[in-house]
Amino acid sequence: MLADRVLVSQPTGDGERQSRSGILIPATAQVAKRLTWAEVVAVGPNVRSIKAGDLVLFSPEDRYEVEVQGDAYLILRERDIHAVAADRIENETGLYL
C-alpha cells in the first residue's frame, strides 16, 4: 500500500438483513448513507492511527474495489474512515470517533 491508503476486507454478509423487530430486509432494498465495517488487511506508510487487524467504519461510496489473487478487497483513504475499533488500546473503549 502507498501513502495514506488502507486495504480492507469486507465481510461477505451483504445479503439479507434482519431488523431488531424481526422484519427481513432484502439485499436489494435501498439504504441511504449507511456506513459499514471492514477489517484492515494492510496500511500504507503514512497511515497514523490504523493497523492491520483493526475494524474500520466507512461509507461505501468512498471506496475503490480491487481483486488480488482472486480475493476481493477495498482500498480506502485514511481520511475517509469515520471510526476505528482496535483491541490494542488499554483501559479505553477501543473505539475512536
Side-chain angles (χ1 to χ4, degrees), residues 28-89:
T28 57
Q30 178 85 16
V31 178
K33 303 283 182 178
R34 183 182 180 114
L35 299 177
T36 185
W37 289 95
E39 183 178 356
V40 176
V41 176
V43 296
N46 297 339
V47 176
R48 300 178 313 253
S49 59
I50 302 168
K51 298 199 182 310
D54 291 350
L55 290 176
V56 293
L57 184 68
F58 67 97
S59 173
E61 296 174 358
D62 301 328
R63 66 181 185 172
Y64 298 100
E65 296 180 13
V66 64
E67 187 173 318
V68 178
Q69 297 179 351
D71 295 326
Y73 295 99
L74 303 175
I75 296 178
L76 307 170
R77 292 182 182 198
E78 184 179 22
R79 69 178 183 215
D80 294 332
I81 294 173
H82 298 282
V84 178
D87 290 332
R88 70 182 177 280
I89 310 302

